[in-house]
Every structure is written in structure tokens, then in C-alpha cells.
Amino acid sequence: MINTEIKPFAATAFKQGEFVEITEADVKGKWAVFFFYPADFTFVCPTELGDVADKYEELQKLGVEVFSVSTDTHFCHKAWHDSSETIGKINYYMVGDQTGTITNNFGVMREGQGLADRATFLVDPQGVIQAMEITAEGIGRDADDLLRKVKAAQYVAAHPGEVCPAKWKEGEATLAPSLDLVGKI
């Protein structure tokens, strides 16, 4: 999936009190996070979605749009948004993928269940996947680490020839791969 372009899709999302139509064309030209989760009104999912909501303003400042995706409908997303304090703070897109098109496009549909895996994809402005993370059902993701990965991907995109080492944080030293570094790290 890494370095592949996202596939065409069309869906309805709930965002800031409205239903909006989105396609892959709405993603291109900006950085995007596709944040797949199994289902609304569950247990780990609201903790993750709330965590991303807490970082949404910072992601927006970096030019990143967030698309949370489950196979629930956009109507279900609205009902959850209206009934949960945690989900009520979400201002990013909550995409209804009841046909499974987007979930299948990203290869994270649970066979025989009709539910998405717990998966995150970072997409660059050209629509190309730069990072991905998939965890088991009971393992929640961390929005701080997602933010770190976004910053690293944006840094690498803006600085060809440099790479970000493990645990890299914004402002820290990067590496310039070369023959001289082989065996010296």
C-alpha cells in the first residue's frame, strides 16, 4: 500500500452538523489522514476518535484533513455525534462507508464481518499513501504518534535526501543517507 495512489470513491460524510458528499478528488492537494475504525457506539473506537479530535486543530495547522471511516452510515455518525460528549467534539469528516468501497480500497475490510480494521493511512497531497498503521481489535492508537508521523512525512517531502530516524521529533537532527553512514549508526 505504501507509495500507491488512493483509489476512486464517493461517499457521504457527517461534518460539523451537515451531510457532505466527498470523493478522492477532495483529498488531493492536501495532506490527509484516513482513520478507519470498526463501528460507532463501541468501546475503543470513541477513545481513539476523541484523541484525534483533541489534535485536529494542530493537524489543520499542518494542512492535514482527517477522514474517519467506518462501515456505519452517515446517519449513524450523526446520531453518535449528537449522543456522545466524546464524539460530539469531533469537527473532522465522519465518513459513512456502508458499501465498503473505501474500506476495501484500502484493504482493511474484515472478511465476513463487514467491519473495518483499526487502521490509519497518511496520504500526501498527490494522493499517495506515505504511512500506514493497523492494530488488532483491542489495541488503540495514539494521536500524538500520528502527529509525529505527519510531521516526519512532511519534513521528508520538503527535504529530499534527508530521512527521519526513530523517535524523530520536529526540530531534531535528521540523517542524509550515504555510503559514509553505512555501519556507523
Side-chain angles (χ1 to χ4, degrees):
M1 296 291 297
I2 299 295
N3 292 321
T4 64
E5 192 169 340
I6 62 172
K7 296 176 183 174
F9 70 86
T12 304
F14 177 73
K15 186 175 195 289
Q16 297 179 326
E18 296 182 2
F19 294 132
V20 293
E21 300 302 315
I22 61 166
T23 70
E24 75 286 350
D26 296 310
V27 177
K28 298 219 176 154
K30 64 184 90 134
W31 287 87
V33 168
F34 282 83
F35 199 81
F36 291 89
Y37 63 98
D40 292 359
F41 296 100
T42 56
F43 314 103
V44 176
C45 299
T47 67
E48 293 182 308
L49 293 169
D51 190 31
V52 172
D54 292 340
K55 299 295 179 188
Y56 184 59
E57 187 175 325
E58 194 170 349
L59 287 163
Q60 288 277 274
K61 287 178 184 173
L62 294 170
V64 179
E65 188 52 76
V66 175
F67 299 88
S68 65
V69 184
S70 78
T71 56
D72 297 293
T73 68
H74 54 287
F75 299 113
C76 192
H77 294 332
K78 181 192 181 312
W80 196 24
H81 190 274
D82 292 349
S83 66
S84 166
E85 186 176 319
T86 298
I87 301 306
K89 65 185 176 181
I90 292 174
N91 290 316
Y92 51 78
Y93 292 90
M94 297 181 75
V95 182
D97 186 31
Q98 63 271 20
T99 66
T101 300
I102 305 168
T103 307
N104 281 311
N105 282 355
F106 281 85
V108 293
M109 180 69 81
R110 293 180 184 173
E111 192 171 331
Q113 294 185 28
L115 300 174
D117 279 326
R118 200 172 299 291
T120 308
F121 294 85
L122 175 59
V123 178
D124 72 16
Q126 291 72 45
V128 176
I129 298 168
Q130 295 299 317
M132 61 185 278
E133 174 184 21
I134 302 173
T135 66
E137 176 63 27
I139 303 170
R141 293 160 285 177
D142 183 341
D144 284 326
D145 194 48
L146 172 60
L147 191 56
R148 183 192 68 77
K149 289 174 187 173
V150 166
K151 289 177 181 180
Q154 289 181 340
Y155 184 91
V156 169
H159 300 89
E162 293 184 47
V163 296
C164 297
K167 298 184 181 184
W168 179 86
K169 301 262 191 308
E170 188 175 30
E172 292 181 351
T174 59
L175 300 172
S178 71
L179 187 59
D180 295 338
L181 284 181
V182 174
K184 295 183 180 166
I185 298 175

